[in-house]
């Protein structure tokens, strides 16, 4: 049976460390090794930065624990104009290199949600 943990928080740099620690803890709960856990933390961080640059001021992360860890991240409270940068392309390439099952949703030409899994 899958269990789900939900986090909703402002997209401020101060919260990224807390989210990285939470992600590491979730990886540990499902038995993901340290190296893969680091990859997952990078993917979560890059996803949040993409959403922030897309104009979202908050995010919601759903961690689903079962055979592995599924991560669904959605932008919330869009209030700013998107500020796309060259970093977006780097983030997307990095995400694509670290996960095989990356799914990105777009709204109005900007990324609005991402999902991926580890150990699934």
């Amino acid at each position: 049976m899958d269990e789900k943990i939900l986090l909703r928080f402002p997209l401020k740099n101060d919260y990224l460390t807390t989210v990285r620690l939470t992600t590491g803890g979730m990886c540990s709960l499902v038995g993901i090794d340290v190296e893969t856990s680091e990859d997952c933390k990078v993917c979560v961080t890059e996803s949040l930065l993409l959403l922030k640059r897309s104009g979202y001021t908050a995010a919601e992360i759903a961690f689903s624990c079962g055979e592995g860890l599924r991560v669904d991240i959605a932008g919330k409270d869009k209030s700013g104009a998107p500020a796309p940068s060259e970093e977006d392309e780097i983030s997307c390439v990095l995400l694509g290199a670290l996960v095989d099952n990356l799914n990105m949703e777009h709204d109005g030409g900007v990324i609005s949600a991402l999902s991926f899994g580890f150990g699934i």
Side-chain angles (χ1 to χ4, degrees), residues 25-67:
M26 298 305 296
C27 288
S28 179
L29 279 175
V30 297
I32 293 174
D33 64 81
V34 174
E35 185 176 320
T36 305
S37 176
E38 288 301 318
D39 290 347
C40 185
K41 290 189 281 186
V42 167
C43 289
V44 168
T45 302
E46 291 299 325
S47 297
L48 294 172
L49 292 172
L50 279 167
L51 292 172
K52 185 175 181 180
R53 290 190 299 263
S54 292
Y56 292 97
T57 60
E60 182 175 279
I61 300 178
F63 294 102
S64 300
C65 304
E67 292 295 316

Side-chain angles (χ1 to χ4, degrees), residues 65-79:
C65 304
E67 292 295 316
L69 181 66
R70 176 157 180 80
V71 183
D72 297 292
I73 305 173
K76 300 292 181 186
D77 305 329
K78 189 171 182 179
S79 67

